[in-house]
Amino acid sequence: MDSIRKILYGILYEGETAVKFVIEHLSKHFEKKEVLKDIDFVFEEGKIYGLLGRNGAGKTTLFNCINRDIRSDGGNLFLETEEGRRELRAEDIGYVLSTPTVPEFLTGREFLKFFIDINEKSVRNPKALDEYFDYMSIAPEDRDKLLKDYSHGMKNKMQMLVNMIAEPNILLLDEPLTSLDVVVAEEMKSLLRSLKQGRITIFSTHLMDLALDLCDEIVLLNRGELEVVEKSSLDSHGFRDKIIAALKEEGYE
């Protein structure tokens, strides 16, 4: 229920526009394993960042620390807006999980109407419900079905739709395209590109080709640390080999 509640109440503070998301000295360990090691990083508005790392590298742990689903061992999270720097709030974050989390006892239309109704004061330029469904290419015959009867891809679309309406400052995407069919995956990539202005999008994946296709910046999570890959090297000879070598370094767990 916590994940559903965060989706339903993922609303913005009206008038603020994120410029940068700043991570300072973020750390997390589980027993003797240090997963995140004193991370410092700055994400900028208007870009899709590809968070690239092997399975088990800590990508979901990083997202869960940002979203405060788990407690970090140390560090601070800030949002820099046009009004100045402040601490990150839960309301700043939209989180699309790899396994969609939606209230399956509602129909798609009921869920969308409920979300818009409870966020009435914060939703900017609300549209007719069918306009939203059209935008997400959800067929008319599916709009009044229970969400429990939606496919994985359709549930994923509903997650994306409420985050699109809420307009969070930071959109976290935890491998949401990995299990989708080709058509739905291409639709989702097109949607993400259209939504990137005005927010910070961080897209977690272990698929290099997907990161290169979708993202403006590539960030490696390796040995518990974040390392940006310079844009000038993205198309250079040996780029893929360099990333693979970094992720295979001795001592990686």
Side-chain angles (χ1 to χ4, degrees):
M1 287 299 296
D2 286 344
S3 295
I4 293 175
R5 190 175 298 113
K6 287 183 179 181
I7 290 173
L8 293 178
Y9 290 90
I11 53 180
L12 275 177
Y13 282 77
E14 189 173 358
E16 286 189 317
T17 301
V19 177
K20 294 180 180 179
F21 168 42
V22 181
I23 299 175
E24 292 184 348
H25 303 297
L26 184 66
S27 61
K28 178 64 182 177
H29 73 276
F30 296 100
E31 296 181 350
K32 295 182 179 180
K33 182 176 181 179
E34 192 172 18
V35 180
L36 306 177
K37 300 180 180 179
D38 196 35
I39 289 176
D40 289 302
F41 207 84
V42 177
F43 296 93
E44 298 180 353
E45 177 269 330
K47 295 181 180 179
I48 300 176
Y49 288 86
L51 179 62
L52 189 62
R54 291 172 62 183
N55 286 329
K59 301 185 297 297
T60 298
T61 297
L62 174 61
F63 279 4
N64 285 337
C65 286
I66 294 172
N67 201 43
R68 293 186 174 88
D69 287 331
I70 61 175
R71 186 188 299 273
S72 63
D73 296 323
N76 297 292
L77 305 172
F78 299 101
L79 198 70
E80 291 188 1
T81 73
E82 295 171 346
E83 288 73 34
R85 174 183 279 204
R86 62 168 174 79
E87 289 191 4
L88 192 68
R89 303 171 179 141
E91 294 83 0
D92 293 312
I93 303 167
Y95 194 177
V96 178
L97 307 171
S98 55
T99 301
T101 303
V102 293
E104 296 192 338
F105 55 89
L106 297 178
T107 67
R109 190 180 300 276
E110 288 170 342
F111 175 44
L112 191 55
K113 184 178 186 303
F114 178 58
F115 178 84
I116 292 173
D117 285 348
I118 65 172
N119 292 307
E120 180 181 5
K121 295 182 180 179
S122 302
V123 174
R124 305 171 188 175
N125 304 314
K127 300 177 177 62
L129 297 184
D130 284 313
E131 287 188 55
Y132 289 120
F133 284 120
D134 288 341
Y135 188 74
M136 297 300 292
S137 299
I138 295 176
E141 61 268 23
D142 293 325
R143 299 172 188 182
D144 294 296
K145 288 182 179 179
L146 289 173
L147 291 174
K148 74 179 182 66
D149 296 323
Y150 275 28
S151 67
H152 182 100
M154 289 170 62
K155 290 177 182 178
N156 205 298
K157 283 185 175 183
M158 291 302 295
Q159 275 198 128
M160 285 298 304
L161 181 54
V162 294
N163 277 289
M164 179 188 77
I165 295 170
E167 299 184 79
N169 283 317
I170 300 168
L171 183 58
L172 304 176
L173 304 161
D174 191 3
E175 305 213 29
L177 307 185
T178 303
S179 58
L180 301 184
D181 65 51
V182 174
V183 173
V184 175
E186 287 301 320
E187 289 176 349
M188 296 293 282
K189 285 193 285 186
S190 178
L191 175 66
L192 290 171
R193 293 185 185 104
S194 72
L195 294 176
K196 71 178 184 177
Q197 297 304 323
R199 66 179 46 81
I200 296 157
T201 304
I202 309 175
F203 185 98
S204 164
T205 184
H206 63 279
L207 302 176
M208 192 187 313
D209 288 337
L210 177 58
L212 293 174
D213 179 43
L214 177 63
C215 303
D216 301 299
E217 301 279 354
I218 303 295
V219 181
L220 295 180
L221 179 55
N222 188 38
R223 292 184 172 183
E225 299 176 348
L226 291 181
E227 175 189 356
V228 67
V229 178
E230 294 297 331
K231 288 199 289 187
S232 59
S233 70
L234 294 181
D235 298 318
S236 65
H237 180 69
F239 167 72
R240 292 169 184 266
D241 292 340
K242 177 182 177 181
I243 290 183
I244 291 171
L247 297 177
K248 286 185 175 179
E249 286 178 355
E250 186 177 354
Y252 177 88
E253 296 181 358

